[in-house]
PDB file of all heavy atoms in Angstrom:
ATOM      1  N   GLY A   1       3.897  28.242   4.499  1.00  0.00           N
ATOM      2  CA  GLY A   1       2.630  28.062   5.129  1.00  0.00           C
ATOM      3  C   GLY A   1       2.356  26.724   5.745  1.00  0.00           C
ATOM      4  O   GLY A   1       3.334  25.999   5.799  1.00  0.00           O
ATOM      5  N   GLY A   2       1.075  26.536   6.100  1.00  0.00           N
ATOM      6  CA  GLY A   2       0.814  25.195   6.662  1.00  0.00           C
ATOM      7  C   GLY A   2       1.031  24.974   8.098  1.00  0.00           C
ATOM      8  O   GLY A   2       0.853  23.950   8.591  1.00  0.00           O
ATOM      9  N   GLY A   3       1.411  26.183   8.839  1.00  0.00           N
ATOM     10  CA  GLY A   3       1.651  26.007  10.189  1.00  0.00           C
ATOM     11  C   GLY A   3       2.911  25.231  10.516  1.00  0.00           C
ATOM     12  O   GLY A   3       3.632  24.928   9.619  1.00  0.00           O
ATOM     13  N   LEU A   4       3.219  25.008  11.859  1.00  0.00           N
ATOM     14  CA  LEU A   4       4.523  24.278  12.219  1.00  0.00           C
ATOM     15  C   LEU A   4       4.522  22.949  11.687  1.00  0.00           C
ATOM     16  O   LEU A   4       5.638  22.370  11.379  1.00  0.00           O
ATOM     17  CB  LEU A   4       4.650  24.468  13.649  1.00  0.00           C
ATOM     18  CG  LEU A   4       6.127  24.163  14.137  1.00  0.00           C
ATOM     19  CD1 LEU A   4       6.980  25.199  13.450  1.00  0.00           C
ATOM     20  CD2 LEU A   4       6.108  24.268  15.652  1.00  0.00           C
ATOM     21  N   PHE A   5       3.349  22.259  11.520  1.00  0.00           N
ATOM     22  CA  PHE A   5       3.221  20.845  11.159  1.00  0.00           C
ATOM     23  C   PHE A   5       2.360  20.809   9.913  1.00  0.00           C
ATOM     24  O   PHE A   5       1.163  20.845   9.951  1.00  0.00           O
ATOM     25  CB  PHE A   5       2.778  19.829  12.155  1.00  0.00           C
ATOM     26  CG  PHE A   5       2.649  18.519  11.587  1.00  0.00           C
ATOM     27  CD1 PHE A   5       3.813  17.788  11.217  1.00  0.00           C
ATOM     28  CD2 PHE A   5       1.483  17.839  11.384  1.00  0.00           C
ATOM     29  CE1 PHE A   5       3.684  16.503  10.831  1.00  0.00           C
ATOM     30  CE2 PHE A   5       1.257  16.596  11.002  1.00  0.00           C
ATOM     31  CZ  PHE A   5       2.430  15.906  10.641  1.00  0.00           C
ATOM     32  N   ASP A   6       2.965  20.769   8.664  1.00  0.00           N
ATOM     33  CA  ASP A   6       2.298  20.727   7.418  1.00  0.00           C
ATOM     34  C   ASP A   6       2.369  19.294   6.906  1.00  0.00           C
ATOM     35  O   ASP A   6       3.481  18.831   6.541  1.00  0.00           O
ATOM     36  CB  ASP A   6       2.824  21.694   6.558  1.00  0.00           C
ATOM     37  CG  ASP A   6       2.103  21.723   5.116  1.00  0.00           C
ATOM     38  OD1 ASP A   6       1.230  21.093   4.968  1.00  0.00           O
ATOM     39  OD2 ASP A   6       2.529  22.562   4.259  1.00  0.00           O
ATOM     40  N   PRO A   7       1.218  18.643   6.744  1.00  0.00           N
ATOM     41  CA  PRO A   7       1.408  17.229   6.276  1.00  0.00           C
ATOM     42  C   PRO A   7       2.046  17.064   4.836  1.00  0.00           C
ATOM     43  O   PRO A   7       2.652  16.072   4.636  1.00  0.00           O
ATOM     44  CB  PRO A   7      -0.142  16.821   6.128  1.00  0.00           C
ATOM     45  CG  PRO A   7      -0.869  17.706   7.165  1.00  0.00           C
ATOM     46  CD  PRO A   7      -0.108  18.949   7.143  1.00  0.00           C
ATOM     47  N   ARG A   8       1.961  18.095   4.143  1.00  0.00           N
ATOM     48  CA  ARG A   8       2.535  18.141   2.822  1.00  0.00           C
ATOM     49  C   ARG A   8       4.177  18.112   2.925  1.00  0.00           C
ATOM     50  O   ARG A   8       4.884  17.620   2.022  1.00  0.00           O
ATOM     51  CB  ARG A   8       2.167  19.286   1.955  1.00  0.00           C
ATOM     52  CG  ARG A   8       0.721  19.312   1.548  1.00  0.00           C
ATOM     53  CD  ARG A   8       0.400  20.619   0.873  1.00  0.00           C
ATOM     54  NE  ARG A   8       0.581  21.781   1.832  1.00  0.00           N
ATOM     55  CZ  ARG A   8       0.227  23.005   1.516  1.00  0.00           C
ATOM     56  NH1 ARG A   8       0.002  23.344   0.338  1.00  0.00           N
ATOM     57  NH2 ARG A   8       0.378  23.905   2.395  1.00  0.00           N
ATOM     58  N   GLN A   9       4.611  18.551   4.105  1.00  0.00           N
ATOM     59  CA  GLN A   9       6.027  18.546   4.378  1.00  0.00           C
ATOM     60  C   GLN A   9       6.581  17.128   4.494  1.00  0.00           C
ATOM     61  O   GLN A   9       7.763  16.882   4.221  1.00  0.00           O
ATOM     62  CB  GLN A   9       6.345  19.418   5.712  1.00  0.00           C
ATOM     63  CG  GLN A   9       7.783  19.568   5.918  1.00  0.00           C
ATOM     64  CD  GLN A   9       8.495  20.490   4.914  1.00  0.00           C
ATOM     65  OE1 GLN A   9       7.786  21.558   4.590  1.00  0.00           O
ATOM     66  NE2 GLN A   9       9.650  20.193   4.371  1.00  0.00           N
ATOM     67  N   LEU A  10       5.655  16.237   4.923  1.00  0.00           N
ATOM     68  CA  LEU A  10       6.070  14.758   4.955  1.00  0.00           C
ATOM     69  C   LEU A  10       6.618  14.336   3.637  1.00  0.00           C
ATOM     70  O   LEU A  10       7.573  13.660   3.612  1.00  0.00           O
ATOM     71  CB  LEU A  10       4.940  13.871   5.444  1.00  0.00           C
ATOM     72  CG  LEU A  10       4.393  14.088   6.913  1.00  0.00           C
ATOM     73  CD1 LEU A  10       3.183  13.336   7.129  1.00  0.00           C
ATOM     74  CD2 LEU A  10       5.560  13.664   7.821  1.00  0.00           C
ATOM     75  N   VAL A  11       5.815  14.546   2.628  1.00  0.00           N
ATOM     76  CA  VAL A  11       6.198  14.102   1.256  1.00  0.00           C
ATOM     77  C   VAL A  11       7.517  14.839   0.731  1.00  0.00           C
ATOM     78  O   VAL A  11       8.327  14.159   0.298  1.00  0.00           O
ATOM     79  CB  VAL A  11       5.033  14.448   0.285  1.00  0.00           C
ATOM     80  CG1 VAL A  11       5.399  13.960  -1.050  1.00  0.00           C
ATOM     81  CG2 VAL A  11       3.838  13.658   0.665  1.00  0.00           C
ATOM     82  N   ARG A  12       7.535  16.177   0.951  1.00  0.00           N
ATOM     83  CA  ARG A  12       8.740  16.854   0.619  1.00  0.00           C
ATOM     84  C   ARG A  12       9.987  16.380   1.273  1.00  0.00           C
ATOM     85  O   ARG A  12      11.097  16.445   0.700  1.00  0.00           O
ATOM     86  CB  ARG A  12       8.462  18.415   0.779  1.00  0.00           C
ATOM     87  CG  ARG A  12       7.482  18.999  -0.148  1.00  0.00           C
ATOM     88  CD  ARG A  12       7.586  20.399  -0.096  1.00  0.00           C
ATOM     89  NE  ARG A  12       7.260  21.020   1.137  1.00  0.00           N
ATOM     90  CZ  ARG A  12       6.017  21.493   1.484  1.00  0.00           C
ATOM     91  NH1 ARG A  12       4.917  21.331   0.615  1.00  0.00           N
ATOM     92  NH2 ARG A  12       5.600  21.930   2.617  1.00  0.00           N
ATOM     93  N   SER A  13       9.845  15.949   2.515  1.00  0.00           N
ATOM     94  CA  SER A  13      10.916  15.583   3.468  1.00  0.00           C
ATOM     95  C   SER A  13      11.386  14.034   3.188  1.00  0.00           C
ATOM     96  O   SER A  13      12.397  13.722   3.737  1.00  0.00           O
ATOM     97  CB  SER A  13      10.686  15.831   4.882  1.00  0.00           C
ATOM     98  OG  SER A  13      10.298  17.123   5.169  1.00  0.00           O
ATOM     99  N   LEU A  14      10.648  13.319   2.487  1.00  0.00           N
ATOM    100  CA  LEU A  14      10.954  11.810   2.329  1.00  0.00           C
ATOM    101  C   LEU A  14      12.174  11.651   1.754  1.00  0.00           C
ATOM    102  O   LEU A  14      13.023  10.746   2.220  1.00  0.00           O
ATOM    103  CB  LEU A  14       9.713  11.198   1.501  1.00  0.00           C
ATOM    104  CG  LEU A  14       9.779   9.651   1.490  1.00  0.00           C
ATOM    105  CD1 LEU A  14       9.762   9.136   2.938  1.00  0.00           C
ATOM    106  CD2 LEU A  14       8.652   9.159   0.699  1.00  0.00           C
ATOM    107  N   PRO A  15      12.724  12.322   0.703  1.00  0.00           N
ATOM    108  CA  PRO A  15      14.078  12.028   0.149  1.00  0.00           C
ATOM    109  C   PRO A  15      15.130  12.346   1.050  1.00  0.00           C
ATOM    110  O   PRO A  15      16.100  11.607   1.297  1.00  0.00           O
ATOM    111  CB  PRO A  15      14.090  12.976  -0.945  1.00  0.00           C
ATOM    112  CG  PRO A  15      12.682  13.240  -1.479  1.00  0.00           C
ATOM    113  CD  PRO A  15      12.047  13.282  -0.138  1.00  0.00           C
ATOM    114  N   ASP A  16      14.938  13.307   1.980  1.00  0.00           N
ATOM    115  CA  ASP A  16      15.869  13.699   3.054  1.00  0.00           C
ATOM    116  C   ASP A  16      15.966  12.531   3.986  1.00  0.00           C
ATOM    117  O   ASP A  16      17.033  12.174   4.525  1.00  0.00           O
ATOM    118  CB  ASP A  16      15.694  14.963   3.644  1.00  0.00           C
ATOM    119  CG  ASP A  16      15.953  16.194   2.822  1.00  0.00           C
ATOM    120  OD1 ASP A  16      16.793  16.053   1.902  1.00  0.00           O
ATOM    121  OD2 ASP A  16      15.376  17.217   3.080  1.00  0.00           O
ATOM    122  N   ALA A  17      14.831  11.979   4.300  1.00  0.00           N
ATOM    123  CA  ALA A  17      14.678  10.853   5.413  1.00  0.00           C
ATOM    124  C   ALA A  17      15.587   9.671   4.762  1.00  0.00           C
ATOM    125  O   ALA A  17      16.194   9.025   5.558  1.00  0.00           O
ATOM    126  CB  ALA A  17      13.260  10.627   5.638  1.00  0.00           C
ATOM    127  N   VAL A  18      15.328   9.373   3.443  1.00  0.00           N
ATOM    128  CA  VAL A  18      16.131   8.225   2.930  1.00  0.00           C
ATOM    129  C   VAL A  18      17.607   8.514   2.985  1.00  0.00           C
ATOM    130  O   VAL A  18      18.365   7.584   3.283  1.00  0.00           O
ATOM    131  CB  VAL A  18      15.579   7.989   1.509  1.00  0.00           C
ATOM    132  CG1 VAL A  18      16.397   6.910   0.854  1.00  0.00           C
ATOM    133  CG2 VAL A  18      14.123   7.552   1.396  1.00  0.00           C
ATOM    134  N   ARG A  19      18.002   9.730   2.698  1.00  0.00           N
ATOM    135  CA  ARG A  19      19.410  10.049   2.582  1.00  0.00           C
ATOM    136  C   ARG A  19      20.090   9.871   4.055  1.00  0.00           C
ATOM    137  O   ARG A  19      21.196   9.632   4.105  1.00  0.00           O
ATOM    138  CB  ARG A  19      19.698  11.476   2.124  1.00  0.00           C
ATOM    139  CG  ARG A  19      19.617  11.615   0.516  1.00  0.00           C
ATOM    140  CD  ARG A  19      20.074  12.919   0.097  1.00  0.00           C
ATOM    141  NE  ARG A  19      19.118  13.946   0.341  1.00  0.00           N
ATOM    142  CZ  ARG A  19      18.099  14.336  -0.412  1.00  0.00           C
ATOM    143  NH1 ARG A  19      17.980  13.821  -1.639  1.00  0.00           N
ATOM    144  NH2 ARG A  19      17.407  15.331  -0.126  1.00  0.00           N
ATOM    145  N   LYS A  20      19.251  10.103   5.029  1.00  0.00           N
ATOM    146  CA  LYS A  20      19.701  10.039   6.401  1.00  0.00           C
ATOM    147  C   LYS A  20      19.919   8.572   6.813  1.00  0.00           C
ATOM    148  O   LYS A  20      20.392   8.307   7.951  1.00  0.00           O
ATOM    149  CB  LYS A  20      18.784  10.830   7.422  1.00  0.00           C
ATOM    150  CG  LYS A  20      18.679  12.248   7.396  1.00  0.00           C
ATOM    151  CD  LYS A  20      17.684  12.864   8.320  1.00  0.00           C
ATOM    152  CE  LYS A  20      17.707  14.304   8.227  1.00  0.00           C
ATOM    153  NZ  LYS A  20      19.061  14.903   8.884  1.00  0.00           N
ATOM    154  N   LEU A  21      19.677   7.643   6.101  1.00  0.00           N
ATOM    155  CA  LEU A  21      19.890   6.189   6.363  1.00  0.00           C
ATOM    156  C   LEU A  21      21.394   5.861   6.295  1.00  0.00           C
ATOM    157  O   LEU A  21      21.821   4.720   6.783  1.00  0.00           O
ATOM    158  CB  LEU A  21      19.096   5.314   5.308  1.00  0.00           C
ATOM    159  CG  LEU A  21      17.705   5.243   5.551  1.00  0.00           C
ATOM    160  CD1 LEU A  21      16.905   4.503   4.417  1.00  0.00           C
ATOM    161  CD2 LEU A  21      17.285   4.739   6.878  1.00  0.00           C
ATOM    162  N   ASP A  22      22.238   6.896   5.755  1.00  0.00           N
ATOM    163  CA  ASP A  22      23.640   6.642   5.864  1.00  0.00           C
ATOM    164  C   ASP A  22      24.068   6.394   7.129  1.00  0.00           C
ATOM    165  O   ASP A  22      23.752   7.176   8.130  1.00  0.00           O
ATOM    166  CB  ASP A  22      24.234   8.046   5.300  1.00  0.00           C
ATOM    167  CG  ASP A  22      25.815   7.957   5.191  1.00  0.00           C
ATOM    168  OD1 ASP A  22      26.408   7.017   5.780  1.00  0.00           O
ATOM    169  OD2 ASP A  22      26.313   8.800   4.405  1.00  0.00           O
ATOM    170  N   PRO A  23      24.781   5.279   7.449  1.00  0.00           N
ATOM    171  CA  PRO A  23      25.291   4.910   8.765  1.00  0.00           C
ATOM    172  C   PRO A  23      26.192   6.151   9.469  1.00  0.00           C
ATOM    173  O   PRO A  23      26.125   6.201  10.715  1.00  0.00           O
ATOM    174  CB  PRO A  23      26.134   3.701   8.599  1.00  0.00           C
ATOM    175  CG  PRO A  23      25.614   3.193   7.285  1.00  0.00           C
ATOM    176  CD  PRO A  23      25.166   4.313   6.429  1.00  0.00           C
ATOM    177  N   ARG A  24      26.859   6.841   8.681  1.00  0.00           N
ATOM    178  CA  ARG A  24      27.614   7.949   9.257  1.00  0.00           C
ATOM    179  C   ARG A  24      26.720   9.025   9.927  1.00  0.00           C
ATOM    180  O   ARG A  24      27.165   9.722  10.890  1.00  0.00           O
ATOM    181  CB  ARG A  24      28.453   8.528   8.117  1.00  0.00           C
ATOM    182  CG  ARG A  24      29.586   7.634   7.711  1.00  0.00           C
ATOM    183  CD  ARG A  24      30.351   8.166   6.418  1.00  0.00           C
ATOM    184  NE  ARG A  24      29.357   8.231   5.325  1.00  0.00           N
ATOM    185  CZ  ARG A  24      29.686   8.784   4.172  1.00  0.00           C
ATOM    186  NH1 ARG A  24      30.887   9.122   3.901  1.00  0.00           N
ATOM    187  NH2 ARG A  24      28.748   8.788   3.180  1.00  0.00           N
ATOM    188  N   VAL A  25      25.477   9.111   9.398  1.00  0.00           N
ATOM    189  CA  VAL A  25      24.492  10.020  10.040  1.00  0.00           C
ATOM    190  C   VAL A  25      23.830   9.341  11.080  1.00  0.00           C
ATOM    191  O   VAL A  25      23.729   9.996  12.226  1.00  0.00           O
ATOM    192  CB  VAL A  25      23.509  10.543   8.964  1.00  0.00           C
ATOM    193  CG1 VAL A  25      22.521  11.361   9.511  1.00  0.00           C
ATOM    194  CG2 VAL A  25      24.217  11.208   7.760  1.00  0.00           C
ATOM    195  N   MET A  26      23.436   8.061  10.957  1.00  0.00           N
ATOM    196  CA  MET A  26      22.711   7.371  11.888  1.00  0.00           C
ATOM    197  C   MET A  26      23.411   7.144  13.285  1.00  0.00           C
ATOM    198  O   MET A  26      22.888   7.059  14.279  1.00  0.00           O
ATOM    199  CB  MET A  26      22.208   5.942  11.356  1.00  0.00           C
ATOM    200  CG  MET A  26      21.158   6.028  10.210  1.00  0.00           C
ATOM    201  SD  MET A  26      19.610   6.876  10.671  1.00  0.00           S
ATOM    202  CE  MET A  26      19.033   5.871  11.969  1.00  0.00           C
ATOM    203  N   VAL A  27      24.745   6.933  13.200  1.00  0.00           N
ATOM    204  CA  VAL A  27      25.612   6.666  14.335  1.00  0.00           C
ATOM    205  C   VAL A  27      25.356   7.865  15.381  1.00  0.00           C
ATOM    206  O   VAL A  27      25.680   7.586  16.589  1.00  0.00           O
ATOM    207  CB  VAL A  27      26.935   6.422  13.982  1.00  0.00           C
ATOM    208  CG1 VAL A  27      27.662   7.773  13.690  1.00  0.00           C
ATOM    209  CG2 VAL A  27      27.782   5.670  15.069  1.00  0.00           C
ATOM    210  N   LYS A  28      25.065   8.977  14.919  1.00  0.00           N
ATOM    211  CA  LYS A  28      24.919  10.139  15.927  1.00  0.00           C
ATOM    212  C   LYS A  28      23.776   9.930  16.842  1.00  0.00           C
ATOM    213  O   LYS A  28      23.755  10.572  17.837  1.00  0.00           O
ATOM    214  CB  LYS A  28      24.645  11.554  15.054  1.00  0.00           C
ATOM    215  CG  LYS A  28      25.796  11.812  14.249  1.00  0.00           C
ATOM    216  CD  LYS A  28      25.542  13.148  13.484  1.00  0.00           C
ATOM    217  CE  LYS A  28      26.643  13.489  12.573  1.00  0.00           C
ATOM    218  NZ  LYS A  28      26.443  14.662  11.704  1.00  0.00           N
ATOM    219  N   SER A  29      22.831   8.977  16.611  1.00  0.00           N
ATOM    220  CA  SER A  29      21.713   8.728  17.478  1.00  0.00           C
ATOM    221  C   SER A  29      21.827   7.184  17.769  1.00  0.00           C
ATOM    222  O   SER A  29      21.500   6.410  16.957  1.00  0.00           O
ATOM    223  CB  SER A  29      20.356   8.894  16.781  1.00  0.00           C
ATOM    224  OG  SER A  29      19.383   8.476  17.582  1.00  0.00           O
ATOM    225  N   PRO A  30      22.476   6.908  18.904  1.00  0.00           N
ATOM    226  CA  PRO A  30      22.815   5.492  19.266  1.00  0.00           C
ATOM    227  C   PRO A  30      21.541   4.523  19.104  1.00  0.00           C
ATOM    228  O   PRO A  30      21.721   3.417  18.670  1.00  0.00           O
ATOM    229  CB  PRO A  30      23.493   5.574  20.564  1.00  0.00           C
ATOM    230  CG  PRO A  30      23.914   6.962  20.766  1.00  0.00           C
ATOM    231  CD  PRO A  30      22.990   7.835  20.037  1.00  0.00           C
ATOM    232  N   VAL A  31      20.430   5.043  19.665  1.00  0.00           N
ATOM    233  CA  VAL A  31      19.306   4.138  19.664  1.00  0.00           C
ATOM    234  C   VAL A  31      18.826   3.726  18.321  1.00  0.00           C
ATOM    235  O   VAL A  31      18.597   2.556  17.921  1.00  0.00           O
ATOM    236  CB  VAL A  31      18.108   4.902  20.435  1.00  0.00           C
ATOM    237  CG1 VAL A  31      16.886   4.035  20.365  1.00  0.00           C
ATOM    238  CG2 VAL A  31      18.527   5.208  21.843  1.00  0.00           C
ATOM    239  N   MET A  32      18.753   4.680  17.385  1.00  0.00           N
ATOM    240  CA  MET A  32      18.314   4.463  16.110  1.00  0.00           C
ATOM    241  C   MET A  32      19.415   3.788  15.260  1.00  0.00           C
ATOM    242  O   MET A  32      19.024   3.006  14.359  1.00  0.00           O
ATOM    243  CB  MET A  32      17.857   5.845  15.341  1.00  0.00           C
ATOM    244  CG  MET A  32      16.687   6.487  16.049  1.00  0.00           C
ATOM    245  SD  MET A  32      15.284   5.349  16.632  1.00  0.00           S
ATOM    246  CE  MET A  32      14.804   4.660  15.068  1.00  0.00           C
ATOM    247  N   PHE A  33      20.585   4.061  15.585  1.00  0.00           N
ATOM    248  CA  PHE A  33      21.676   3.282  14.909  1.00  0.00           C
ATOM    249  C   PHE A  33      21.496   1.725  15.152  1.00  0.00           C
ATOM    250  O   PHE A  33      21.752   0.892  14.303  1.00  0.00           O
ATOM    251  CB  PHE A  33      23.125   3.645  15.372  1.00  0.00           C
ATOM    252  CG  PHE A  33      24.137   3.009  14.554  1.00  0.00           C
ATOM    253  CD1 PHE A  33      24.512   3.141  13.295  1.00  0.00           C
ATOM    254  CD2 PHE A  33      24.986   2.079  15.320  1.00  0.00           C
ATOM    255  CE1 PHE A  33      25.561   2.558  12.729  1.00  0.00           C
ATOM    256  CE2 PHE A  33      25.982   1.587  14.796  1.00  0.00           C
ATOM    257  CZ  PHE A  33      26.354   1.700  13.381  1.00  0.00           C
ATOM    258  N   VAL A  34      21.146   1.375  16.443  1.00  0.00           N
ATOM    259  CA  VAL A  34      20.950  -0.049  16.786  1.00  0.00           C
ATOM    260  C   VAL A  34      19.777  -0.574  15.949  1.00  0.00           C
ATOM    261  O   VAL A  34      19.830  -1.686  15.465  1.00  0.00           O
ATOM    262  CB  VAL A  34      20.719  -0.117  18.375  1.00  0.00           C
ATOM    263  CG1 VAL A  34      20.212  -1.554  18.611  1.00  0.00           C
ATOM    264  CG2 VAL A  34      21.884   0.113  19.086  1.00  0.00           C
ATOM    265  N   VAL A  35      18.743   0.191  15.792  1.00  0.00           N
ATOM    266  CA  VAL A  35      17.563  -0.147  14.978  1.00  0.00           C
ATOM    267  C   VAL A  35      17.985  -0.492  13.587  1.00  0.00           C
ATOM    268  O   VAL A  35      17.527  -1.332  12.822  1.00  0.00           O
ATOM    269  CB  VAL A  35      16.402   0.774  15.076  1.00  0.00           C
ATOM    270  CG1 VAL A  35      15.146   0.313  14.204  1.00  0.00           C
ATOM    271  CG2 VAL A  35      16.012   0.951  16.550  1.00  0.00           C
ATOM    272  N   LEU A  36      18.880   0.424  13.029  1.00  0.00           N
ATOM    273  CA  LEU A  36      19.292   0.312  11.608  1.00  0.00           C
ATOM    274  C   LEU A  36      20.115  -1.035  11.475  1.00  0.00           C
ATOM    275  O   LEU A  36      20.042  -1.676  10.447  1.00  0.00           O
ATOM    276  CB  LEU A  36      20.258   1.568  11.281  1.00  0.00           C
ATOM    277  CG  LEU A  36      20.923   1.430   9.926  1.00  0.00           C
ATOM    278  CD1 LEU A  36      19.916   1.557   8.796  1.00  0.00           C
ATOM    279  CD2 LEU A  36      21.886   2.600   9.676  1.00  0.00           C
ATOM    280  N   VAL A  37      21.097  -1.256  12.408  1.00  0.00           N
ATOM    281  CA  VAL A  37      21.873  -2.526  12.326  1.00  0.00           C
ATOM    282  C   VAL A  37      20.842  -3.710  12.398  1.00  0.00           C
ATOM    283  O   VAL A  37      21.017  -4.687  11.643  1.00  0.00           O
ATOM    284  CB  VAL A  37      22.862  -2.457  13.511  1.00  0.00           C
ATOM    285  CG1 VAL A  37      23.498  -3.914  13.543  1.00  0.00           C
ATOM    286  CG2 VAL A  37      23.865  -1.368  13.296  1.00  0.00           C
TER     287      VAL A  37
END
């Protein structure tokens, strides 16, 4: 439920967002990898 954009999904997705800080994942997006560095 909640349509394509459900604000509650933000909270549920937060742990995944933190796990994606892994440099091996971030390097797939050069722009955001530079921001991480």
